[in-house]
Amino acid sequence: MRIEWTGWEVPSLIANVAIAAGAVLVGLVVHALFMAVGRRLAARTPDSIDDAALALAKRPLRWIAAAIALAASRRFLDLPSWANELWGLAAGFIVPGLIGWLLITIVRVYARAVEIRYDIAVEDNLRARRRRTRTTILSRIGVIAIALITIALMLLSIPSIRSIGITLMASAGLAGLAVGAAAQPALKNLIAGVQLAFTEPIRIDDVLIIEGEWGRVEEIRLTYVVVALWDERRLVVPVSRFLEMPFQNWTRNTSQLLGSAFFWLDPTADIPRLRRHYEQVVRANPRWDGRAFVLQVTDTKPDAIEVRVLATAKNAATAFDLRCDLREAMLAFIRDEMPEALPRRRLVQVDDVLAADHPARA
């Protein structure tokens, strides 16, 4: 088949290709103009959320513009019957895929906006950590749900698959039992991840003691949590572990902590003098947050006493450094100014004991 155009007979294949290419070119030009206007408007706002939204939406919007242009040019194309069927099949695949891609982009734009707006690098970041944690988990659940629905819609566009859908639904019960039994650990952690988003036993940037390790929550996935340990190792823990087993959360309500250090001293040590010097040391330390401090004798033994010092700090890392500072300062003071306070083992001669028990023999 040929098409007459201004006196020229153009083959339909060339005409179709030219029309489709022209439509795609127009769609890309419109997309480029839209993005240019969007960038100019975003540059006028101090917030960087719109910049992130444009950056994430650029690629899916480009493909959507091309798809819309091709759909608009369909009425001008001269296609045989087999090409029409192929066009419909491709549209059934492409359109749901592009819509799903756009919806996933919207979810990611929202997650990115929350990440930008709620900064966890500030001092009082409890509210920010709560929003970041919940948004991170729910956005990943949303992405998975959108992807599954998109794939289902794409497969349903195939007539052969649509015709066997009833059979698949009839056997879905047995298949679901088999898959559930085989994937029980994964499903368990997946459900635990959803619970974690609402119950919030942990949040991003929380400080934990888990499996005997001190670390900070670095990343929360649907089925596992990555904890950055103090020595730069990474501890990967299943999500269900945080709902079934006990662990320590040092920043559940606030990041402020009470740090402690212990000393074993001689029973004759001058505790009031130590307490006065400890007060000077704490007040001079910039890591102390000004809330509280104390020095107490917490235990006694025949040859030593246990002295505990406490001081408050704004967060776990600062509390650890403060404990080290206090321990070093008090040990230096005891060594230089009060060496008699160091633990000593006393030995008594047998003759002296006998003389004390039997004065007549002496």
Side-chain angles (χ1 to χ4, degrees), residues 210-211 213 216 218-221 223-229 233-239 241-242:
I210 184 168
E211 302 292 338
E213 300 281 359
R216 191 179 299 272
E218 182 179 54
E219 189 177 2
I220 299 179
R221 295 283 183 175
T223 57
Y224 65 90
V225 175
V226 179
V227 180
L229 303 182
R233 290 179 296 153
R234 297 297 185 271
L235 183 65
V236 180
V237 186
V239 171
R241 167 69 170 77
F242 295 96

Side-chain angles (χ1 to χ4, degrees), residues 96-162:
L98 292 177
I99 294 176
W101 190 7
L102 181 61
L103 293 177
I104 290 175
T105 301
I106 293 174
V107 172
R108 289 178 174 174
V109 166
Y110 174 75
R112 180 59 178 164
V114 171
E115 183 179 349
I116 294 174
R117 180 166 296 175
Y118 295 94
D119 186 13
I120 62 175
V122 298
E123 291 293 335
D124 187 11
N125 61 356
L126 178 60
R127 183 167 178 263
R129 291 188 289 111
R130 294 182 64 179
R131 292 298 299 269
R132 289 273 292 270
T133 301
R134 183 169 296 182
T135 302
T136 299
I137 297 176
L138 294 181
S139 63
R140 285 172 179 156
I141 295 174
V143 168
I144 292 177
I146 293 172
L148 291 176
I149 295 174
T150 300
I151 294 174
L153 292 176
M154 294 171 66
L155 293 178
L156 288 176
S157 64
I158 304 176
S160 58
I161 294 181
R162 191 187 308 121

Side-chain angles (χ1 to χ4, degrees), residues 51-63:
D51 298 318
L54 284 175
L56 291 173
K58 181 179 180 180
R59 292 184 60 190
L61 288 179
R62 180 191 296 132
W63 286 99

